Amino acid sequence: MENRKNIKGSRREFLRVSALGVAGSLAAQGLSAFRGAHPASAEYSIPGILTGKHKRAGIALIGLGNYSANQLAPALQETKIAYLAGMVTGTMDNEKLWAEKYNIPKKNIYNYDNFDEIATNRDIDIVYVVLPNSMHKEFTIRAANAGKHVICEKPMALNAQECVEMIAACRENGVGLSIGYRLHYEPHTQEVMRLGQEKVFGNVLHISCGAAWRATTFEGWRWDREMGGGAMMDMGVYPLQAARYVTGEEPVSVTAQTFITRPGRYEGVDEATTFQLEFPGGTVASLDTGFHASFDHLYAFAEKGWFELRPFSSYRSISGRTSREELNFPQINQQAVQMDEDAENFMAGLPVRVPGEEGLRDMIVVDAVYESIRTGRSVRLRR
Ligand code: NAD
């Protein structure tokens, strides 16, 4: 490991968000922590844009890169409620390929410039934003202004302030907003939420969790800070999520460090980041992420036992055990279940499982992680 590295640029958004009273307002709404496997997040009153009881919900994907091509589009061939109705792309190659492969009519294909015309397209109910992180805010707000429900990929945006603006835009337009945290729909993950939050093994004392992959190429938006690159933004939200959903609490303090193991490859983005969270109930979480090594594990040590998932964040084959037994839950297509459930709730005007506020809570902590790296100090979060 080389030297500890200060990330350039200020991450003061948490302070700005706190000043706006957003964190306080979340707490006042009873939204200060994720509760249970399906949170009763009654923050939306969605009029819905249903045109018929049995209509399937048309999804348009924006951003036809790796995740859309290899996970979401194939999953949309297995969904029962949602279906792949349209797409937004910047390249003619993609347009031709996708239109043929998925039988998408020309009238449902948009580019980044004419995207707003989607407002009049009755085939499209939901826009799924699968773009580089720096583009999430713009396209979520444009989709909301077009009257479409939105699923936005993780991390929700560049910082907490952007999340606040996205939530406000969806509220003002009366559309739903869901964040693409697919693990919330996954049975093993739901079980560790229950074990932790219901204190099945007593209070959780320590959480050790990490999600990382070893990069072999160093090009593209993940290596560009302005575009929302960096390991914390890419994979760091998974251990952060895990600590929050195992405890069901929001952290009160954040300390973080970052390291560069391959100098010259990481100009301005974090490569190997480690962060520690302190929770009000006494749990301490020691969390890791990075582009320097491959790991994927969640371990929680509690007063009367332990539980773990290994891997805990992969698309398939999530597996786990407790100090008493193996966890044997069905393997599901996470993305298919996620999109079907979101579509069902959007169309029925019901709250979604992972609303925008959940993405905001993460970004408040991510902002604090970068603040701690920059200052070399712990950041206390006001709740
Ligand atoms: P990608 O680089 O493979 O695809 C990005 C897409 O955005 C491409 O279609 C590209 O053409 C388009 N794009 C438009 N303008 C661009 C610009 N200025 N620069 C670069 N690309 C531009 O990325 P990806 O891996 O598909 O990730 C997209 C989003 O999905 C990210 O927010 C990422 O965090 C998220 N993601 C989530 C999961 C998950 O498990 N939930 C997994 C992978 C990625």
Side-chain angles (χ1 to χ4, degrees):
M1 298 270 175
E2 220 202 22
N3 57 317
R4 181 175 154 164
K5 188 184 179 205
N6 279 341
I7 297 293
K8 281 183 194 157
S10 161
R11 282 261 173 180
R12 294 195 177 278
E13 287 78 8
F14 166 70
L15 299 175
R16 289 219 311 274
V17 170
S18 293
L20 285 171
V22 170
S25 120
L26 284 176
Q29 293 172 54
L31 299 170
S32 58
F34 180 82
R35 298 274 173 217
H38 192 162
S41 45
E43 55 268 44
Y44 290 116
S45 166
I46 306 169
I49 48 175
L50 263 182
T51 52
K53 200 174 172 194
H54 302 292
K55 180 181 179 292
R56 288 181 79 187
I59 290 190
L61 297 173
I62 309 190
L64 308 182
N66 178 46
Y67 194 54
S68 284
N70 298 321
Q71 301 301 327
L72 297 178
L76 281 163
Q77 309 314 302
E78 293 187 28
T79 44
K80 305 279 184 292
I81 299 163
Y83 78 102
L84 181 55
M87 64 191 195
V88 185
T89 174
T91 66
M92 290 298 288
D93 284 354
N94 261 345
E95 184 173 330
K96 197 165 174 313
L97 196 104
W98 281 63
E100 278 171 17
K101 185 168 181 185
Y102 293 111
N103 199 21
I104 298 174
K106 196 160 178 49
K107 71 181 180 63
N108 292 356
I109 302 174
Y110 296 86
N111 58 48
Y112 299 112
D113 295 327
N114 70 9
F115 168 66
D116 308 281
E117 293 169 17
I118 207 167
T120 57
N121 190 325
R122 291 173 67 83
D123 290 351
I124 314 285
D125 302 292
I126 301 163
V127 167
Y128 196 150
V129 180
V130 203
L131 289 162
N133 302 331
S134 59
M135 300 171 77
H136 290 183
K137 176 184 139 183
E138 177 190 341
F139 281 90
T140 293
I141 292 176
R142 283 172 71 178
N145 288 343
K148 305 301 177 186
H149 301 296
V150 185
I151 307 176
C152 176
E153 257 316 315
K154 49 55 61 179
M156 183 170 167
L158 290 181
N159 53 54
Q161 178 60 36
E162 288 195 349
C163 300
V164 171
E165 293 169 39
M166 293 157 75
I167 291 167
C170 290
R171 279 203 182 137
E172 280 159 19
N173 285 289
V175 299
L177 173 59
S178 173
I179 308 305
Y181 281 129
R182 56 188 162 74
L183 293 171
H184 284 243
Y185 306 77
E186 198 284 322
H188 299 79
T189 310
Q190 291 173 348
E191 177 64 358
V192 298
M193 291 175 185
R194 187 185 75 81
L195 295 174
Q197 293 181 30
E198 294 181 10
K199 302 190 191 303
V200 173
F201 292 94
N203 203 29
V204 174
L205 303 174
H206 190 90
I207 295 168
S208 171
C209 186
W213 55 281
R214 182 164 171 83
T216 50
T217 57
F218 305 89
E219 285 171 6
W221 62 268
R222 283 184 172 82
W223 279 261
D224 182 339
R225 181 162 157 69
E226 300 288 311
M227 297 211 66
M232 185 63 212
M233 295 287 279
D234 193 44
M235 294 299 282
V237 290
Y238 287 104
L240 164 56
Q241 274 273 301
R244 290 185 50 249
Y245 59 61
V246 166
T247 57
E249 295 177 352
E250 299 303 312
V252 290
S253 89
V254 180
T255 311
Q257 306 83 37
T258 196
F259 306 89
I260 294 293
T261 70
R262 290 176 286 182
R265 306 284 198 175
Y266 298 88
E267 287 302 323
V269 298
D270 55 311
E271 182 197 8
T273 296
T274 177
F275 55 112
Q276 305 81 45
L277 307 180
E278 182 189 355
F279 287 89
T283 310
V284 171
S286 179
L287 311 171
D288 291 289
T289 190
F291 293 136
H292 65 305
S294 291
F295 49 81
D296 187 343
H297 60 268
L298 162 60
Y299 179 82
F301 180 83
E303 289 167 313
K304 292 180 280 183
W306 52 264
F307 47 94
E308 70 173 358
L309 295 180
R310 189 183 292 260
F312 87 100
S313 72
S314 57
Y315 298 143
R316 308 283 179 268
S317 311
I318 304 254
S319 160
R321 57 210 57 77
T322 76
S323 44
R324 290 182 200 146
E325 61 190 352
E326 289 289 315
L327 297 178
N328 286 314
F329 293 95
Q331 296 295 332
I332 61 160
N333 182 324
Q334 297 167 17
Q335 291 85 356
V337 173
Q338 170 206 332
M339 288 187 281
D340 260 351
E341 189 187 301
D342 279 355
E344 189 171 23
N345 285 326
F346 283 149
M347 304 300 275
L350 293 171
V352 290
R353 187 179 289 264
V354 190
E357 284 77 2
E358 180 65 8
L360 166 60
R361 289 181 202 109
D362 274 352
M363 289 313 298
I364 289 172
V365 181
V366 172
D367 285 350
V369 163
Y370 283 114
E371 182 77 9
S372 176
I373 288 170
R374 196 180 63 78
T375 62
R377 295 187 177 163
S378 287
V379 177
R380 292 213 71 80
L381 297 178
R382 283 171 276 153
R383 299 290 179 188

